[in-house]
Structures are given as structure tokens and as C-alpha cells.
Short mmCIF file of all heavy atoms in Angstrom, two decimals:
data_model
loop_
_atom_site.label_atom_id
_atom_site.label_comp_id
_atom_site.label_asym_id
_atom_site.label_seq_id
_atom_site.Cartn_x
_atom_site.Cartn_y
_atom_site.Cartn_z
N MET A 1 -21.75 -85.47 131.24
CA MET A 1 -20.59 -85.19 130.46
C MET A 1 -20.00 -83.88 130.88
O MET A 1 -18.80 -83.74 130.85
CB MET A 1 -21.05 -85.14 128.97
CG MET A 1 -19.91 -84.85 128.06
SD MET A 1 -18.75 -86.24 128.04
CE MET A 1 -17.72 -85.85 126.69
N LYS A 2 -20.76 -82.88 131.20
CA LYS A 2 -20.24 -81.58 131.54
C LYS A 2 -19.32 -81.65 132.78
O LYS A 2 -18.30 -80.98 132.85
CB LYS A 2 -21.40 -80.57 131.79
CG LYS A 2 -20.93 -79.15 132.01
CD LYS A 2 -22.11 -78.24 132.11
CE LYS A 2 -21.57 -76.81 132.22
NZ LYS A 2 -22.60 -75.84 132.23
N LYS A 3 -19.65 -82.47 133.80
CA LYS A 3 -18.87 -82.58 134.92
C LYS A 3 -17.49 -83.16 134.64
O LYS A 3 -16.47 -82.82 135.25
CB LYS A 3 -19.56 -83.45 135.98
CG LYS A 3 -18.86 -83.40 137.31
CD LYS A 3 -19.77 -83.96 138.40
CE LYS A 3 -19.14 -83.62 139.73
NZ LYS A 3 -20.01 -83.43 140.78
N ALA A 4 -17.41 -84.02 133.65
CA ALA A 4 -16.17 -84.64 133.30
C ALA A 4 -15.21 -83.55 132.62
O ALA A 4 -13.98 -83.62 132.70
CB ALA A 4 -16.33 -85.77 132.31
N ILE A 5 -15.81 -82.59 132.07
CA ILE A 5 -15.05 -81.51 131.39
C ILE A 5 -14.62 -80.44 132.40
O ILE A 5 -13.47 -79.97 132.37
CB ILE A 5 -15.86 -80.86 130.26
CG1 ILE A 5 -16.14 -81.90 129.16
CG2 ILE A 5 -15.16 -79.62 129.67
CD1 ILE A 5 -17.12 -81.46 128.08
N THR A 6 -15.49 -80.06 133.34
CA THR A 6 -15.19 -78.94 134.23
C THR A 6 -14.49 -79.33 135.50
O THR A 6 -13.90 -78.46 136.13
CB THR A 6 -16.52 -78.26 134.60
OG1 THR A 6 -17.40 -79.17 135.28
CG2 THR A 6 -17.19 -77.59 133.41
N GLY A 7 -14.53 -80.57 135.92
CA GLY A 7 -13.82 -80.94 137.14
C GLY A 7 -13.62 -82.42 137.23
O GLY A 7 -14.46 -83.20 136.79
N GLN A 8 -12.46 -82.78 137.82
CA GLN A 8 -12.22 -84.19 138.03
C GLN A 8 -13.11 -84.76 139.10
O GLN A 8 -13.48 -84.09 140.06
CB GLN A 8 -10.76 -84.42 138.40
CG GLN A 8 -9.87 -84.46 137.20
CD GLN A 8 -8.46 -84.85 137.63
OE1 GLN A 8 -7.93 -84.40 138.59
NE2 GLN A 8 -7.87 -85.75 136.87
N GLU A 9 -13.41 -86.03 138.97
CA GLU A 9 -14.18 -86.71 140.01
C GLU A 9 -13.47 -87.96 140.44
O GLU A 9 -13.00 -88.74 139.59
CB GLU A 9 -15.54 -87.08 139.41
CG GLU A 9 -16.55 -87.45 140.38
CD GLU A 9 -17.91 -87.57 139.71
OE1 GLU A 9 -18.44 -86.65 139.14
OE2 GLU A 9 -18.42 -88.76 139.78
N PHE A 10 -13.25 -88.17 141.73
CA PHE A 10 -12.57 -89.30 142.21
C PHE A 10 -13.54 -90.21 142.95
O PHE A 10 -14.36 -89.78 143.72
CB PHE A 10 -11.43 -88.87 143.21
CG PHE A 10 -10.37 -88.06 142.60
CD1 PHE A 10 -10.44 -86.65 142.60
CD2 PHE A 10 -9.28 -88.64 141.95
CE1 PHE A 10 -9.47 -85.89 141.97
CE2 PHE A 10 -8.30 -87.91 141.33
CZ PHE A 10 -8.40 -86.52 141.32
N ARG A 11 -13.40 -91.50 142.63
CA ARG A 11 -14.24 -92.49 143.34
C ARG A 11 -13.54 -92.99 144.59
O ARG A 11 -12.29 -92.99 144.66
CB ARG A 11 -14.46 -93.67 142.42
CG ARG A 11 -15.05 -93.34 141.05
CD ARG A 11 -16.50 -92.94 141.20
NE ARG A 11 -17.06 -92.67 139.90
CZ ARG A 11 -17.95 -91.71 139.70
NH1 ARG A 11 -18.41 -91.04 140.72
NH2 ARG A 11 -18.41 -91.52 138.49
N PRO A 12 -14.33 -93.33 145.64
CA PRO A 12 -13.69 -93.78 146.90
C PRO A 12 -12.70 -94.95 146.70
O PRO A 12 -11.64 -94.92 147.41
CB PRO A 12 -14.91 -94.15 147.76
CG PRO A 12 -16.04 -93.45 147.18
CD PRO A 12 -15.76 -93.31 145.73
N TRP A 13 -12.98 -95.85 145.86
CA TRP A 13 -12.06 -96.99 145.73
C TRP A 13 -10.77 -96.61 145.01
O TRP A 13 -9.77 -97.24 145.14
CB TRP A 13 -12.76 -98.15 144.97
CG TRP A 13 -13.20 -97.80 143.59
CD1 TRP A 13 -12.45 -97.85 142.44
CD2 TRP A 13 -14.48 -97.35 143.14
NE1 TRP A 13 -13.22 -97.42 141.36
CE2 TRP A 13 -14.48 -97.11 141.80
CE3 TRP A 13 -15.64 -97.06 143.89
CZ2 TRP A 13 -15.55 -96.65 141.09
CZ3 TRP A 13 -16.75 -96.63 143.12
CH2 TRP A 13 -16.67 -96.40 141.79
N GLU A 14 -10.80 -95.52 144.24
CA GLU A 14 -9.63 -95.04 143.60
C GLU A 14 -8.59 -94.55 144.64
O GLU A 14 -7.40 -94.74 144.50
CB GLU A 14 -9.88 -93.96 142.61
CG GLU A 14 -10.66 -94.39 141.38
CD GLU A 14 -11.03 -93.22 140.44
OE1 GLU A 14 -11.31 -92.11 140.95
OE2 GLU A 14 -11.03 -93.48 139.23
N LEU A 15 -9.09 -93.92 145.63
CA LEU A 15 -8.22 -93.49 146.79
C LEU A 15 -7.79 -94.57 147.64
O LEU A 15 -6.56 -94.66 147.95
CB LEU A 15 -8.94 -92.38 147.57
CG LEU A 15 -9.16 -91.01 146.87
CD1 LEU A 15 -10.06 -90.13 147.68
CD2 LEU A 15 -7.88 -90.39 146.59
N SER A 16 -8.65 -95.40 148.05
CA SER A 16 -8.27 -96.51 148.93
C SER A 16 -7.30 -97.45 148.30
O SER A 16 -6.39 -98.03 148.98
CB SER A 16 -9.49 -97.25 149.44
OG SER A 16 -10.18 -97.86 148.35
N ASP A 17 -7.32 -97.62 147.01
CA ASP A 17 -6.39 -98.47 146.31
C ASP A 17 -4.96 -97.84 146.19
O ASP A 17 -3.99 -98.58 145.99
CB ASP A 17 -6.86 -98.80 144.88
CG ASP A 17 -8.12 -99.64 144.84
OD1 ASP A 17 -8.46 -100.25 145.91
OD2 ASP A 17 -8.69 -99.78 143.78
N ASN A 18 -4.92 -96.56 146.42
CA ASN A 18 -3.60 -95.85 146.23
C ASN A 18 -3.03 -95.29 147.51
O ASN A 18 -2.02 -94.55 147.43
CB ASN A 18 -3.82 -94.69 145.23
CG ASN A 18 -3.98 -95.26 143.81
OD1 ASN A 18 -3.10 -95.98 143.30
ND2 ASN A 18 -5.08 -94.91 143.20
N ILE A 19 -3.55 -95.62 148.68
CA ILE A 19 -2.99 -95.14 149.95
C ILE A 19 -1.53 -95.52 150.07
O ILE A 19 -0.64 -94.71 150.45
CB ILE A 19 -3.86 -95.63 151.15
CG1 ILE A 19 -5.21 -95.00 151.11
CG2 ILE A 19 -3.14 -95.38 152.45
CD1 ILE A 19 -5.30 -93.54 151.38
N SER A 20 -1.17 -96.82 149.79
CA SER A 20 0.23 -97.24 149.97
C SER A 20 1.11 -96.52 148.95
O SER A 20 2.28 -96.15 149.35
CB SER A 20 0.35 -98.74 149.74
OG SER A 20 -0.13 -99.11 148.49
N ARG A 21 0.64 -96.22 147.79
CA ARG A 21 1.45 -95.44 146.82
C ARG A 21 1.67 -94.02 147.29
O ARG A 21 2.77 -93.46 147.14
CB ARG A 21 0.78 -95.42 145.47
CG ARG A 21 1.51 -94.70 144.42
CD ARG A 21 0.80 -94.68 143.14
NE ARG A 21 1.55 -93.81 142.21
CZ ARG A 21 1.55 -93.88 140.92
NH1 ARG A 21 0.84 -94.86 140.37
NH2 ARG A 21 2.17 -93.11 140.17
N ILE A 22 0.71 -93.37 147.91
CA ILE A 22 0.81 -92.02 148.40
C ILE A 22 1.90 -92.02 149.50
O ILE A 22 2.77 -91.10 149.57
CB ILE A 22 -0.49 -91.54 148.98
CG1 ILE A 22 -1.52 -91.35 147.87
CG2 ILE A 22 -0.32 -90.23 149.73
CD1 ILE A 22 -2.92 -91.04 148.27
N LYS A 23 1.88 -93.02 150.37
CA LYS A 23 2.86 -93.12 151.45
C LYS A 23 4.29 -93.27 150.93
O LYS A 23 5.22 -92.61 151.40
CB LYS A 23 2.58 -94.27 152.42
CG LYS A 23 1.34 -94.04 153.26
CD LYS A 23 1.07 -95.24 154.14
CE LYS A 23 -0.19 -95.00 155.01
NZ LYS A 23 -0.45 -96.14 155.85
N VAL A 24 4.43 -94.08 149.90
CA VAL A 24 5.81 -94.30 149.28
C VAL A 24 6.27 -93.01 148.61
O VAL A 24 7.41 -92.62 148.73
CB VAL A 24 5.74 -95.44 148.24
CG1 VAL A 24 6.96 -95.52 147.38
CG2 VAL A 24 5.53 -96.73 148.96
N GLU A 25 5.37 -92.35 147.88
CA GLU A 25 5.77 -91.13 147.21
C GLU A 25 6.12 -90.02 148.22
O GLU A 25 7.10 -89.24 147.94
CB GLU A 25 4.69 -90.69 146.24
CG GLU A 25 4.60 -91.57 145.03
CD GLU A 25 3.62 -91.04 143.96
OE1 GLU A 25 3.25 -89.83 144.04
OE2 GLU A 25 3.31 -91.77 143.05
N LEU A 26 5.43 -89.90 149.27
CA LEU A 26 5.76 -88.93 150.30
C LEU A 26 7.08 -89.20 150.98
O LEU A 26 7.90 -88.31 151.26
CB LEU A 26 4.65 -88.77 151.36
CG LEU A 26 3.43 -88.07 150.94
CD1 LEU A 26 2.36 -88.18 151.99
CD2 LEU A 26 3.73 -86.61 150.60
N ALA A 27 7.39 -90.48 151.18
CA ALA A 27 8.63 -90.94 151.78
C ALA A 27 9.83 -90.67 150.90
O ALA A 27 10.94 -90.48 151.37
CB ALA A 27 8.54 -92.38 152.19
N SER A 28 9.59 -90.69 149.57
CA SER A 28 10.71 -90.58 148.62
C SER A 28 10.84 -89.19 147.98
O SER A 28 11.46 -89.01 146.96
CB SER A 28 10.55 -91.61 147.54
OG SER A 28 9.35 -91.39 146.78
N LEU A 29 10.24 -88.20 148.67
CA LEU A 29 10.38 -86.84 148.20
C LEU A 29 11.87 -86.40 148.22
O LEU A 29 12.54 -86.68 149.19
CB LEU A 29 9.59 -85.82 149.04
CG LEU A 29 8.09 -85.77 148.87
CD1 LEU A 29 7.47 -84.93 149.88
CD2 LEU A 29 7.76 -85.28 147.50
N PRO A 30 12.33 -85.70 147.20
CA PRO A 30 13.68 -85.24 147.24
C PRO A 30 13.86 -84.13 148.32
O PRO A 30 12.93 -83.37 148.57
CB PRO A 30 13.93 -84.65 145.84
CG PRO A 30 12.58 -84.47 145.26
CD PRO A 30 11.66 -85.36 145.92
N PRO A 31 15.07 -84.02 148.94
CA PRO A 31 15.22 -83.02 149.96
C PRO A 31 14.97 -81.61 149.46
O PRO A 31 14.52 -80.78 150.25
CB PRO A 31 16.71 -83.19 150.37
CG PRO A 31 17.13 -84.51 149.77
CD PRO A 31 16.20 -84.90 148.76
N GLN A 32 15.26 -81.33 148.20
CA GLN A 32 15.04 -80.00 147.68
C GLN A 32 13.56 -79.57 147.76
O GLN A 32 13.23 -78.45 148.05
CB GLN A 32 15.53 -79.91 146.19
CG GLN A 32 17.00 -80.17 146.03
CD GLN A 32 17.38 -81.61 145.90
OE1 GLN A 32 16.60 -82.49 146.07
NE2 GLN A 32 18.65 -81.86 145.49
N ALA A 33 12.70 -80.53 147.49
CA ALA A 33 11.19 -80.25 147.53
C ALA A 33 10.82 -80.00 149.00
O ALA A 33 10.00 -79.08 149.19
CB ALA A 33 10.46 -81.41 146.98
N LYS A 34 11.41 -80.68 149.90
CA LYS A 34 11.01 -80.47 151.34
C LYS A 34 11.52 -79.11 151.81
O LYS A 34 10.81 -78.39 152.49
CB LYS A 34 11.62 -81.57 152.21
CG LYS A 34 11.03 -82.89 151.99
CD LYS A 34 11.73 -83.96 152.79
CE LYS A 34 11.17 -85.37 152.51
NZ LYS A 34 11.84 -86.40 153.30
N VAL A 35 12.72 -78.73 151.32
CA VAL A 35 13.29 -77.42 151.70
C VAL A 35 12.46 -76.31 151.21
O VAL A 35 12.13 -75.32 151.90
CB VAL A 35 14.74 -77.28 151.24
CG1 VAL A 35 15.27 -75.89 151.36
CG2 VAL A 35 15.64 -78.25 152.02
N ILE A 36 12.05 -76.39 149.94
CA ILE A 36 11.25 -75.29 149.35
C ILE A 36 9.87 -75.19 150.08
O ILE A 36 9.42 -74.11 150.35
CB ILE A 36 10.98 -75.52 147.81
CG1 ILE A 36 12.29 -75.50 147.01
CG2 ILE A 36 9.96 -74.60 147.30
CD1 ILE A 36 12.95 -74.09 147.02
N ASP A 37 9.28 -76.35 150.44
CA ASP A 37 8.10 -76.25 151.21
C ASP A 37 8.25 -75.67 152.54
O ASP A 37 7.47 -74.84 153.02
CB ASP A 37 7.56 -77.73 151.33
CG ASP A 37 6.15 -77.78 151.83
OD1 ASP A 37 5.27 -77.11 151.24
OD2 ASP A 37 5.88 -78.47 152.83
N LEU A 38 9.37 -75.93 153.22
CA LEU A 38 9.67 -75.38 154.55
C LEU A 38 9.92 -73.85 154.46
O LEU A 38 9.55 -73.14 155.29
CB LEU A 38 10.84 -76.06 155.23
CG LEU A 38 10.45 -77.53 155.67
CD1 LEU A 38 11.75 -78.20 156.16
CD2 LEU A 38 9.43 -77.52 156.77
N ILE A 39 10.58 -73.45 153.38
CA ILE A 39 10.84 -72.03 153.16
C ILE A 39 9.55 -71.22 153.04
O ILE A 39 9.35 -70.16 153.60
CB ILE A 39 11.78 -71.80 151.93
CG1 ILE A 39 13.19 -72.26 152.33
CG2 ILE A 39 11.80 -70.36 151.51
CD1 ILE A 39 14.15 -72.31 151.17
N HIS A 40 8.61 -71.83 152.23
CA HIS A 40 7.33 -71.16 152.03
C HIS A 40 6.56 -71.10 153.37
O HIS A 40 5.95 -70.06 153.64
CB HIS A 40 6.49 -71.98 151.04
CG HIS A 40 6.44 -71.36 149.72
ND1 HIS A 40 5.39 -70.69 149.19
CD2 HIS A 40 7.43 -71.33 148.74
CE1 HIS A 40 5.66 -70.25 147.96
NE2 HIS A 40 6.91 -70.60 147.66
N THR A 41 6.62 -72.15 154.17
CA THR A 41 5.97 -72.12 155.51
C THR A 41 6.53 -71.05 156.37
O THR A 41 5.82 -70.33 156.99
CB THR A 41 6.16 -73.52 156.12
OG1 THR A 41 5.60 -74.53 155.33
CG2 THR A 41 5.48 -73.56 157.49
N ALA A 42 7.86 -70.87 156.35
CA ALA A 42 8.53 -69.85 157.19
C ALA A 42 8.20 -68.47 156.67
O ALA A 42 8.03 -67.55 157.46
CB ALA A 42 10.03 -70.11 157.24
N ALA A 43 8.15 -68.28 155.42
CA ALA A 43 8.04 -66.95 154.80
C ALA A 43 6.61 -66.42 154.84
O ALA A 43 6.39 -65.21 155.07
CB ALA A 43 8.51 -66.99 153.32
N PHE A 44 5.62 -67.28 154.72
CA PHE A 44 4.23 -66.81 154.55
C PHE A 44 3.32 -67.06 155.74
O PHE A 44 2.31 -66.40 155.88
CB PHE A 44 3.61 -67.39 153.29
CG PHE A 44 4.31 -66.88 152.04
CD1 PHE A 44 5.16 -67.68 151.33
CD2 PHE A 44 4.08 -65.59 151.60
CE1 PHE A 44 5.78 -67.23 150.18
CE2 PHE A 44 4.75 -65.17 150.42
CZ PHE A 44 5.58 -65.96 149.74
N ARG A 45 3.58 -68.08 156.57
CA ARG A 45 2.80 -68.42 157.76
C ARG A 45 1.38 -68.87 157.51
O ARG A 45 0.91 -69.75 158.17
CB ARG A 45 2.79 -67.20 158.73
CG ARG A 45 4.09 -66.78 159.25
CD ARG A 45 4.68 -67.78 160.19
NE ARG A 45 5.98 -67.31 160.59
CZ ARG A 45 6.85 -68.05 161.15
NH1 ARG A 45 6.63 -69.30 161.37
NH2 ARG A 45 8.03 -67.59 161.46
N SER A 46 0.68 -68.27 156.54
CA SER A 46 -0.69 -68.75 156.24
C SER A 46 -0.91 -68.61 154.73
O SER A 46 -0.13 -67.96 154.04
CB SER A 46 -1.76 -67.94 157.01
OG SER A 46 -1.74 -66.63 156.57
N GLY A 47 -1.91 -69.20 154.21
CA GLY A 47 -2.14 -69.12 152.80
C GLY A 47 -1.08 -69.83 151.96
O GLY A 47 -1.09 -71.02 151.91
N LEU A 48 -0.18 -69.07 151.45
CA LEU A 48 0.98 -69.65 150.70
C LEU A 48 1.88 -70.48 151.55
O LEU A 48 2.65 -71.24 151.06
CB LEU A 48 1.76 -68.48 150.00
CG LEU A 48 1.04 -67.83 148.80
CD1 LEU A 48 1.85 -66.71 148.32
CD2 LEU A 48 0.73 -68.83 147.70
N GLY A 49 1.81 -70.29 152.87
CA GLY A 49 2.65 -71.02 153.80
C GLY A 49 2.16 -72.39 154.07
O GLY A 49 2.89 -73.21 154.67
N ASN A 50 0.96 -72.71 153.64
CA ASN A 50 0.43 -74.08 153.84
C ASN A 50 1.20 -75.10 152.96
O ASN A 50 1.49 -74.76 151.80
CB ASN A 50 -1.08 -74.17 153.48
CG ASN A 50 -1.88 -73.32 154.40
OD1 ASN A 50 -1.52 -73.03 155.58
ND2 ASN A 50 -3.04 -72.90 153.97
N SER A 51 1.49 -76.21 153.54
CA SER A 51 2.26 -77.25 152.84
C SER A 51 1.47 -77.77 151.65
O SER A 51 0.22 -77.90 151.72
CB SER A 51 2.60 -78.38 153.75
OG SER A 51 3.35 -79.37 153.05
N ILE A 52 2.14 -78.13 150.57
CA ILE A 52 1.46 -78.73 149.46
C ILE A 52 1.47 -80.27 149.58
O ILE A 52 0.82 -80.94 148.82
CB ILE A 52 2.09 -78.34 148.10
CG1 ILE A 52 3.57 -78.77 148.06
CG2 ILE A 52 1.97 -76.89 147.87
CD1 ILE A 52 4.17 -78.61 146.67
N PHE A 53 2.12 -80.75 150.62
CA PHE A 53 2.20 -82.20 150.87
C PHE A 53 1.27 -82.58 152.04
O PHE A 53 1.20 -81.90 153.06
CB PHE A 53 3.61 -82.66 151.18
CG PHE A 53 4.61 -82.24 150.12
CD1 PHE A 53 5.58 -81.26 150.36
CD2 PHE A 53 4.52 -82.81 148.83
CE1 PHE A 53 6.49 -80.89 149.38
CE2 PHE A 53 5.45 -82.41 147.83
CZ PHE A 53 6.41 -81.45 148.15
N VAL A 54 0.58 -83.70 151.91
CA VAL A 54 -0.26 -84.18 152.95
C VAL A 54 0.57 -84.73 154.08
O VAL A 54 1.61 -85.37 153.87
CB VAL A 54 -1.27 -85.22 152.43
CG1 VAL A 54 -0.60 -86.49 151.95
CG2 VAL A 54 -2.33 -85.55 153.44
N ARG A 55 0.17 -84.47 155.30
CA ARG A 55 0.89 -85.04 156.51
C ARG A 55 0.55 -86.51 156.64
O ARG A 55 -0.46 -86.99 156.21
CB ARG A 55 0.38 -84.30 157.75
CG ARG A 55 0.56 -82.82 157.70
CD ARG A 55 1.95 -82.40 158.05
NE ARG A 55 2.03 -80.89 158.06
CZ ARG A 55 3.18 -80.33 157.99
NH1 ARG A 55 4.26 -81.00 157.90
NH2 ARG A 55 3.20 -78.97 157.94
N ASP A 56 1.48 -87.27 157.26
CA ASP A 56 1.32 -88.67 157.42
C ASP A 56 0.02 -89.04 158.12
O ASP A 56 -0.69 -89.98 157.74
CB ASP A 56 2.47 -89.29 158.21
CG ASP A 56 3.77 -89.21 157.42
OD1 ASP A 56 3.70 -89.18 156.21
OD2 ASP A 56 4.85 -89.30 158.08
N PHE A 57 -0.33 -88.28 159.16
CA PHE A 57 -1.51 -88.63 159.90
C PHE A 57 -2.83 -88.23 159.21
O PHE A 57 -3.92 -88.62 159.60
CB PHE A 57 -1.52 -87.95 161.31
CG PHE A 57 -1.35 -86.48 161.32
CD1 PHE A 57 -2.42 -85.61 161.19
CD2 PHE A 57 -0.04 -85.91 161.39
CE1 PHE A 57 -2.24 -84.24 161.18
CE2 PHE A 57 0.08 -84.51 161.40
CZ PHE A 57 -0.99 -83.68 161.21
N ASN A 58 -2.74 -87.49 158.13
CA ASN A 58 -3.91 -87.07 157.30
C ASN A 58 -4.16 -87.94 156.15
O ASN A 58 -5.16 -87.72 155.45
CB ASN A 58 -3.82 -85.61 156.92
CG ASN A 58 -4.13 -84.66 158.05
OD1 ASN A 58 -4.82 -85.03 158.96
ND2 ASN A 58 -3.62 -83.48 157.97
N ILE A 59 -3.27 -88.88 155.83
CA ILE A 59 -3.40 -89.68 154.62
C ILE A 59 -4.72 -90.44 154.63
O ILE A 59 -5.40 -90.52 153.67
CB ILE A 59 -2.21 -90.62 154.41
CG1 ILE A 59 -0.95 -89.76 154.08
CG2 ILE A 59 -2.41 -91.62 153.31
CD1 ILE A 59 0.32 -90.64 154.02
N LYS A 60 -5.04 -91.04 155.72
CA LYS A 60 -6.23 -91.87 155.87
C LYS A 60 -7.53 -91.01 155.85
O LYS A 60 -8.62 -91.47 155.62
CB LYS A 60 -6.22 -92.73 157.12
CG LYS A 60 -5.18 -93.83 157.01
CD LYS A 60 -5.27 -94.81 158.18
CE LYS A 60 -4.26 -95.87 157.95
NZ LYS A 60 -4.29 -96.90 158.94
N LYS A 61 -7.41 -89.69 156.07
CA LYS A 61 -8.54 -88.77 156.00
C LYS A 61 -8.89 -88.35 154.59
O LYS A 61 -9.94 -87.68 154.39
CB LYS A 61 -8.32 -87.61 156.92
CG LYS A 61 -8.18 -87.96 158.38
CD LYS A 61 -7.94 -86.69 159.22
CE LYS A 61 -7.79 -87.02 160.70
NZ LYS A 61 -7.43 -85.85 161.46
N LEU A 62 -8.01 -88.63 153.65
CA LEU A 62 -8.31 -88.24 152.28
C LEU A 62 -9.53 -88.92 151.75
O LEU A 62 -9.70 -90.14 151.99
CB LEU A 62 -7.11 -88.57 151.36
CG LEU A 62 -5.87 -87.76 151.51
CD1 LEU A 62 -4.76 -88.33 150.56
CD2 LEU A 62 -6.11 -86.30 151.17
N ASN A 63 -10.41 -88.18 151.09
CA ASN A 63 -11.60 -88.79 150.49
C ASN A 63 -11.89 -88.11 149.19
O ASN A 63 -11.24 -87.13 148.84
CB ASN A 63 -12.77 -88.79 151.44
CG ASN A 63 -13.15 -87.43 151.92
OD1 ASN A 63 -13.09 -86.49 151.11
ND2 ASN A 63 -13.54 -87.30 153.16
N SER A 64 -12.83 -88.63 148.49
CA SER A 64 -13.22 -88.05 147.16
C SER A 64 -13.72 -86.64 147.32
O SER A 64 -13.59 -85.79 146.43
CB SER A 64 -14.23 -88.94 146.46
OG SER A 64 -15.38 -89.09 147.23
N GLU A 65 -14.36 -86.32 148.43
CA GLU A 65 -14.88 -84.91 148.64
C GLU A 65 -13.69 -83.94 148.84
O GLU A 65 -13.79 -82.79 148.43
CB GLU A 65 -15.82 -84.91 149.84
CG GLU A 65 -17.07 -85.67 149.63
CD GLU A 65 -17.95 -85.13 148.49
OE1 GLU A 65 -18.02 -83.92 148.36
OE2 GLU A 65 -18.45 -85.97 147.71
N THR A 66 -12.70 -84.34 149.60
CA THR A 66 -11.51 -83.52 149.81
C THR A 66 -10.86 -83.13 148.49
O THR A 66 -10.46 -81.97 148.28
CB THR A 66 -10.53 -84.23 150.72
OG1 THR A 66 -11.16 -84.67 151.88
CG2 THR A 66 -9.33 -83.30 151.08
N LEU A 67 -10.65 -84.11 147.61
CA LEU A 67 -9.96 -83.85 146.33
C LEU A 67 -10.85 -83.16 145.43
O LEU A 67 -10.50 -82.37 144.58
CB LEU A 67 -9.46 -85.16 145.73
CG LEU A 67 -8.48 -85.89 146.63
CD1 LEU A 67 -8.10 -87.21 145.95
CD2 LEU A 67 -7.24 -85.10 146.82
#
């Protein structure tokens, strides 16, 4: 019970069932969100400059441990 309160837990099948949804949501990002992300990347270079969006080639690498 304590783990449910202190941190989310993702099951492997929850991620594999939603891969197509993740791809659709990334493809339909508004341009404003992309611009803000690129501005952060240019301004900070590391740390805060890391994108908050997963890259297309990394979608299949997502797993319950990563999240």
C-alpha cells in the first residue's frame, strides 16, 4: 500500500498498449509547445535544456523502469 501512495508504478503491458497513442500525441503537439521546448534547449544546453518530449526513436525504449 505504501508504494501506491509514494510513487506510481507502471506495468509493462500498460506501456505496450499505449505506444500508438504516444506516437499520435507527439505528432499532434501544438507548434507553440515545440517552440518553447526548442527555446529551452537553446538557452540552457543541459539540465533544463533537455527536451520534455520523447524522441521518435526512443518510444520503443520506454519501459516501466524508465517511468
Side-chain angles (χ1 to χ4, degrees):
M1 181 68 171
K2 187 174 184 177
K3 190 164 191 152
I5 295 170
T6 60
Q8 277 188 314
E9 196 172 298
F10 295 95
R11 304 286 183 218
W13 61 87
E14 291 175 326
L15 290 172
S16 62
D17 291 348
N18 287 301
I19 293 292
S20 59
R21 181 180 172 154
I22 292 170
K23 289 180 181 180
V24 168
E25 287 187 15
L26 286 173
S28 63
L29 283 173
Q32 296 87 349
K34 292 178 184 178
V35 168
I36 295 295
D37 192 53
L38 290 172
I39 289 171
H40 259 255
T41 301
F44 294 105
R45 301 286 178 199
S46 64
L48 290 175
N50 294 336
S51 179
I52 60 171
F53 305 113
V54 66
R55 305 275 183 200
D56 291 338
F57 56 86
N58 283 336
I59 292 175
K60 291 187 178 184
K61 294 180 182 177
L62 289 176
N63 59 37
S64 57
E65 295 297 319
T66 305
L67 298 177

